[in-house]
Amino acid sequence: MKILVTGAAGFIGFSVSKRLAEQDIEVVGYDSINDYYDPRLKFDRLQVLNEFKNFTFVHADLCDNEKLNETFREHKFDRVINLAAQPGVRYSLQNPKAYVDSNVVGFLNVLEACRNHRIAHLVFASSSSVYGSNEQMPFSEHHNTDHPVSLYAATKKANELMAHAYSHLYNIPVTGLRFFTVYGPWGRPDMAPFLFTKAILEGQPIKVFNNGLLKRDFTYIDDIVEGVLRITETIPEPGSDYDKKNPDPAFSHAPYVIYNIGNNKPVELMRFIEILEEKTGKEAVKEMMPMQPGDVLATYADIDRLAKCADFRPDTPLEIGLERFVDWFKKYYDN
């Protein structure tokens, strides 16, 4: 088995690549290592991966279609796990073109490569952000996702539509995974666990948006990785009971499916901060802020379909996950 993991120097891509390599699967990691956040963290992740003899790294951008196809020709992949993307809701307001380049053009190149090289299964990262202004909880794959509230969410919705079109046209088995607020060791510096932990340890104020009246379905990285690996081996088939007169967004007449991967236990932002205070042993200096454009009040994953199809439910409590994150953070930054 040989698997391509795009975004291998990123948080989730690194974690998935590491688990695959530990299972003696041949892994090719592909990443542009952009400077959206400190590239040193990305290079340090790669240093860990490069210790595995069955890991190969390709430093390139998905927008470089020639290099991408050269990589496909050389390695003849059995599976592709596309985790490369320009992340971040708020940054999409500042630099929208980066999202179109990476999340739309780059993903189109991946789809074309999978078509041309007859990949047996493409798994790609979507996001809970596609639920947009929907306030029906918990978020279900059966819900409509036609009202994104950020460009980032719109590009992820576009990924789902593009993937379905390719699955329908070329019979490519494709699975989309809607991740819910992923955190844990080696996490992204632009996300709340990292930002808050750093600020609390340094005695700096943390920005608490919407005066703390937010809820998030925080999902620990090990649970995400387990879900990704199980789904990668669960190749979708055309939906035999799909009703074209009453279409269900969760599956299709094509070999295409969508799953949520979340903890199924939303936590209030103020409770999240309290746990971080407990784990760091310091009180946070809170700077109350208004709601930010593109944000949503709450996320909450319905994971019944994941449990049924992959026999798996993420279940790491936030208290345990944040303790592991804070321990990693202190060790990594020598605090």
Side-chain angles (χ1 to χ4, degrees):
M1 178 77 68
K2 183 181 283 191
I3 296 179
L4 171 67
V5 179
T6 69
F11 174 33
I12 301 176
F14 157 74
S15 304
V16 169
S17 297
K18 183 172 181 288
R19 181 77 68 83
L20 289 169
E22 288 171 345
Q23 296 179 357
D24 292 329
I25 292 172
E26 196 167 351
V27 181
V28 176
Y30 195 104
D31 203 297
S32 66
I33 315 184
N34 65 26
D35 60 358
Y36 170 64
Y37 59 78
D38 187 354
R40 288 179 298 177
L41 181 59
K42 300 180 182 183
F43 282 115
D44 286 345
R45 292 175 183 142
L46 285 175
Q47 187 174 350
V48 174
L49 293 176
N50 284 328
E51 294 177 1
F52 293 93
K53 293 181 179 179
N54 51 325
F55 177 81
T56 303
F57 181 63
V58 178
H59 187 179
D61 195 308
L62 289 180
C63 290
D64 185 346
N65 197 36
E66 183 176 341
K67 182 63 176 178
L68 183 64
N69 277 283
E70 176 188 314
T71 303
F72 270 76
R73 285 193 299 270
E74 178 182 351
H75 292 282
K76 297 179 174 55
F77 301 112
D78 299 289
R79 307 280 190 276
V80 172
I81 303 175
N82 184 69
L83 301 173
Q86 176 59 56
V89 168
R90 296 181 188 118
Y91 186 62
S92 68
L93 278 66
Q94 304 167 28
N95 193 358
K97 188 176 183 299
Y99 289 77
V100 175
D101 290 343
S102 179
N103 300 4
V104 179
V105 177
F107 188 60
L108 174 62
N109 290 340
V110 170
L111 288 170
E112 274 288 284
C114 288
R115 173 176 77 92
N116 292 328
H117 297 274
R118 301 183 182 277
I119 298 302
H121 189 194
L122 166 64
V123 177
F124 72 95
S126 185
S127 166
S128 63
S129 67
V130 300
Y131 290 104
S133 57
N134 176 27
E135 294 185 359
Q136 183 180 353
M137 301 287 174
F139 292 155
S140 167
E141 299 94 337
H142 304 290
H143 292 169
N144 181 282
T145 56
D146 287 341
H147 301 90
V149 295
S150 71
L151 181 66
Y152 169 70
T155 63
K156 286 300 184 179
K157 171 69 173 181
N159 286 171
E160 295 183 0
L161 297 174
M162 293 162 68
H164 182 271
Y166 268 70
S167 180
H168 163 72
L169 289 168
Y170 307 114
N171 201 38
I172 303 170
V174 180
T175 301
L177 301 175
R178 292 173 179 166
F179 297 139
F180 282 70
T181 316
V182 188
Y183 75 100
W186 297 97
R188 276 173 33 206
D190 62 320
M191 295 188 70
F194 199 109
L195 291 169
F196 286 9
T197 298
K198 184 176 187 294
I200 291 171
L201 290 173
E202 294 176 354
Q204 299 297 317
I206 62 173
K207 293 181 179 181
V208 183
F209 292 109
N210 201 40
N211 296 304
L213 301 177
L214 298 170
K215 286 185 177 181
R216 291 291 181 266
D217 200 343
F218 294 99
T219 312
Y220 189 62
I221 183 61
D222 287 2
D223 289 333
I224 291 290
V225 171
E226 182 65 24
V228 170
L229 266 58
R230 290 191 184 211
I231 288 301
T232 300
E233 291 308 307
T234 307
I235 299 178
E237 297 181 354
S240 58
D241 56 350
Y242 182 79
D243 185 352
K244 291 185 178 181
K245 294 182 179 179
N246 296 286
D248 186 333
F251 65 104
S252 173
H253 60 279
Y256 168 94
V257 290
I258 289 286
Y259 297 104
N260 290 334
I261 300 188
N263 206 44
N264 193 230
K265 297 178 182 67
V267 175
E268 293 179 353
L269 182 58
M270 297 308 293
R271 175 54 186 156
F272 171 81
I273 295 170
E274 288 176 2
I275 297 171
L276 269 184
E277 290 175 325
E278 294 169 7
K279 303 308 177 184
T280 59
K282 293 187 176 183
E283 185 175 351
V285 179
K286 305 174 187 69
E287 181 181 350
M288 296 302 181
M289 304 285 289
M291 188 75 163
Q292 294 294 288
D295 270 356
V296 296
L297 288 172
T299 61
Y300 180 7
D302 180 333
I303 55 173
D304 287 349
R305 295 188 72 247
L306 178 70
K308 179 180 179 180
C309 297
D311 192 26
F312 175 66
R313 285 181 174 272
D315 61 359
T316 303
L318 187 59
E319 291 81 359
I320 292 176
L322 282 182
E323 181 174 5
R324 292 173 182 169
F325 173 75
V326 171
D327 288 346
W328 168 82
F329 186 96
K330 289 180 175 179
K331 182 178 180 181
Y332 183 78
Y333 289 99
D334 197 24
N335 282 311

